[in-house]
Structure formats: C-alpha cells, structure tokens
Amino acid sequence: MLTFEQKQVIIESFPELTKKDVSLKRVNYHFEGSLYDKKIVIYHLHPNGNGFVFVGDLKKYESDNKGMTNIREATEVELREMIADSIGILSEEEQFEEEVVEEQVWMNAEGQELKLVHEDTLWNIYHSHNLEESHESFGEAEEYLLSEGFELSSK
C-alpha cells in the first residue's frame, strides 16, 4: 500500500489539480478546468492512506453512487490511471463514454418489456409509452433494471 505521502507525490504530479485542505488532516484535490459543476478528483485523502477518486460511471472501476472509488490499496499505476480518467471525464464531454447507446430493449422472465432510452442527459426507462424511471447515468439505469429482474434483450 502506498503511503499518504507517496499518494500526494503522485497526485501532485498532475499540475492541473489544486490541493484543498479539509477537516481531520484530510485533503481534496480539485480540477478547476472541469466543464461541469463537479470539480473534486481526489476526495478526503487521509494520512492513513485512505481516500477516493472520482471515476464517474466508468465500468472498469467499482464505484459508489457518487462515482467515487476507494484508493486505499491502489498501486501507483492504478492511481495514475484513475486520476487521468477522472480528469478526462471532467474535461471532455464525450471522450470517456464507454459505449454510446441510444435505445435498448430489456425483458424479464415473464416477457415484460422495458425500453431504456438516452434522452438529453438522462437515461429514461419506458413501459410502452409511459415513463417509468429516469436516471442520471447508464450505470444507474442498468443497476435498476437488473435489480428488477430485467435482462438486455437480443431484439
């Protein structure tokens, strides 16, 4: 495991990040060049080595509902990649979307069908022509559909 100091050296090698001290000796690192309201790339880096990196809904990372992934056990290579991906997400509108999907059909075991449609900035789920759910990311919508027993149809 990298120490707090080693993580700081890695993080501070990205000149586009700005250090912000927060409570309990923790620090955040902001990307002021973000195209979005979201600016925090590194959240609550703690002297014990714990902390989080914003990775959005990139599927190659396990993240919480805020798009954060824990970096306690991250290697130098992993940490550098996460930070680069995070800056990329915040600085490029489309570059880091893994798959552009406009519409998908999902079915459950009873044959019920739902459509997942990307409209403007939302992922909307429709039953027939009725809006059932709206989600801010594909990952959230996919998680909802899977939890409700639906699978992506091959239609």
Side-chain angles (χ1 to χ4, degrees), residues 126-139:
Y126 291 93
H127 178 259
S128 186
H129 297 291
N130 298 319
L131 178 65
E132 294 292 321
E133 290 276 330
S134 287
H135 297 273
E136 292 182 2
S137 71
F138 174 80

Side-chain angles (χ1 to χ4, degrees), residues 105-108 111-115 126-128 150 153 155:
V105 176
W106 290 68
M107 294 186 78
N108 68 8
Q112 294 173 316
E113 191 175 281
L114 294 177
K115 281 190 180 172
Y126 291 93
H127 178 259
S128 186
F150 285 82
S153 174
K155 275 189 170 181

Side-chain angles (χ1 to χ4, degrees), residues 68-130:
M68 298 292 210
T69 190
N70 192 290
I71 59 170
R72 183 174 188 86
E73 301 295 327
T75 66
E76 178 177 353
V77 171
E78 292 168 336
L79 182 56
R80 286 186 184 283
E81 184 177 347
M82 284 183 226
I83 294 168
D85 285 348
S86 182
I87 292 169
I89 291 167
L90 297 173
S91 63
E92 299 293 330
E93 291 184 38
E94 298 292 327
Q95 179 180 355
F96 280 84
E97 287 189 17
E98 293 181 65
E99 183 179 338
V100 177
V101 176
E102 295 304 317
E103 186 173 305
Q104 292 180 341
V105 176
W106 290 68
M107 294 186 78
N108 68 8
E110 289 81 40
Q112 294 173 316
E113 191 175 281
L114 294 177
K115 281 190 180 172
L116 175 60
V117 182
H118 189 209
E119 299 174 306
D120 296 318
T121 61
L122 294 176
W123 290 90
N124 296 320
I125 299 171
Y126 291 93
H127 178 259
S128 186
H129 297 291
N130 298 319

